[in-house]
Amino acid sequence: MAKKISELMTPNPCAIDADKPVAYAARMLKDEDVGLAPIVEGDRLVGTLTDRDIVTRVVAEGKDPQSVTVREVASTDVVTIDPEQDLSEALRLMASNQVRRLPVVEEDGRLVGVVAQADVAREAKDKQTGDLVEDISQP
């Protein structure tokens, strides 16, 4: 039987409230040693923020990370996966959307985890993992 996403994901990821300043988010990314943080309102996913988002949308634009909120710079067009989906669906979504991480969201929009390329690599066959990395890396 194929592994469910709920068995692969990192549960209860550190999420950031949408109204927090970007400086807070940057510290959290550093402290947690992660490159992506889910952005939430309550327990509902509203976007994601990456270290690259901070660099390109705040630092490179000369904005003040203490006064800019996460909501202002977060990506809101987010590809998600349901915890009951299986590994093959995660592979398909990551490859077709060229993303390395998928927030795991219940039907009601509640964030319950994150599944990353590394999680998939631990479970997928070597060829599947290689194909995924190749698909994600396409220009």
Side-chain angles (χ1 to χ4, degrees), residues 11-66:
N12 305 313
C14 280
I16 300 173
D17 182 81
D19 293 320
K20 292 283 189 186
V22 169
Y24 172 89
R27 282 190 303 276
M28 195 234 47
L29 289 171
K30 177 182 178 265
D31 291 347
E32 296 294 322
D33 193 26
V34 295
L36 173 133
I39 306 306
V40 294
E41 287 180 346
D43 60 0
R44 303 291 186 260
L45 182 73
V46 296
T48 59
L49 185 72
T50 65
D51 43 11
R52 186 173 193 286
D53 292 334
I54 294 170
V55 170
T56 60
R57 298 176 186 167
V58 180
V59 177
E61 297 291 325
K63 296 177 180 174
D64 179 8
Q66 296 290 347

Side-chain angles (χ1 to χ4, degrees), residues 44-90:
R44 303 291 186 260
L45 182 73
V46 296
T48 59
L49 185 72
T50 65
D51 43 11
R52 186 173 193 286
D53 292 334
I54 294 170
V55 170
T56 60
R57 298 176 186 167
V58 180
V59 177
E61 297 291 325
K63 296 177 180 174
D64 179 8
Q66 296 290 347
S67 62
V68 174
T69 65
V70 169
R71 177 187 314 278
E72 295 174 71
V73 295
S75 297
T76 56
D77 187 20
V78 180
V79 179
T80 63
I81 192 163
D82 186 278
E84 295 303 309
Q85 298 275 181
D86 63 24
L87 174 61
S88 62
E89 181 63 6

